[in-house]
Amino acid sequence: MQIEPLLLFTCLAFVACQSNQQNDIVGSWTSVYVQESTGFDVTDRADFNSDGSYILTMYSSGDSVISELKGKYEIDKNSQTLTVTTNGKSFKHEIIEVDKDTLKIQTSQGIELIMKRIK
């Protein structure tokens, strides 16, 4: 009879681990730290949509749009990577940490990026 509780605990632990891996990045995010050397006051907003599309908008002085990129994204939960594709080019980033409020990635250029959920 001790096997049943142990089996139940094992199943619950497996489901809990799987749900942690599936922390969703769907929503709006902004970088909390960006190395920026142009002298402009640049901020960003990344909107990850549930259909696998994303929009990255860069702002100067908080309101003037500098650029807007649209594309697709895909998360590989096994290798913990986020692949974004824009204009036929793909970039693979390592997901270091993700929870409901924080997304930390290492970009394909080796830069660590921390984002906070804004929506």
Side-chain angles (χ1 to χ4, degrees):
M1 286 307 212
Q2 285 186 329
I3 293 177
E4 289 177 6
L6 181 59
L7 182 59
L8 177 62
F9 177 78
T10 303
C11 290
L12 287 174
F14 178 76
V15 169
C17 289
Q18 290 298 316
S19 66
N20 284 344
Q21 285 184 338
Q22 294 176 5
N23 278 332
D24 208 347
I25 68 167
V26 171
S28 299
W29 301 82
T30 189
S31 299
V32 294
Y33 176 75
V34 178
Q35 280 187 325
E36 199 278 313
S37 61
T38 64
F40 295 105
D41 179 19
V42 177
T43 57
D44 64 1
R45 178 182 172 129
D47 294 299
F48 294 98
N49 302 308
S50 59
D51 65 356
S53 66
Y54 79 93
I55 300 172
L56 175 62
T57 309
M58 302 295 289
Y59 299 93
S60 175
S61 301
D63 59 356
S64 299
V65 175
I66 298 172
S67 70
E68 185 173 85
L69 295 174
K70 295 181 181 183
K72 296 284 183 185
Y73 75 94
E74 185 176 321
I75 295 178
D76 183 336
K77 290 174 182 52
N78 293 325
S79 64
Q80 290 296 295
T81 56
L82 167 66
T83 303
V84 293
T85 304
T86 302
N87 299 327
K89 294 183 181 180
S90 293
F91 301 93
K92 193 175 281 194
H93 309 298
E94 177 187 354
I95 299 172
I96 297 170
E97 176 186 338
V98 62
D99 61 33
K100 73 175 202 158
D101 295 319
T102 304
L103 173 61
K104 186 187 293 187
I105 62 173
Q106 183 166 2
T107 69
S108 56
Q109 295 85 15
I111 299 168
E112 189 172 292
L113 179 64
I114 301 171
M115 302 186 87
K116 293 291 182 186
R117 186 181 298 273
I118 53 178
K119 250 201 241 187

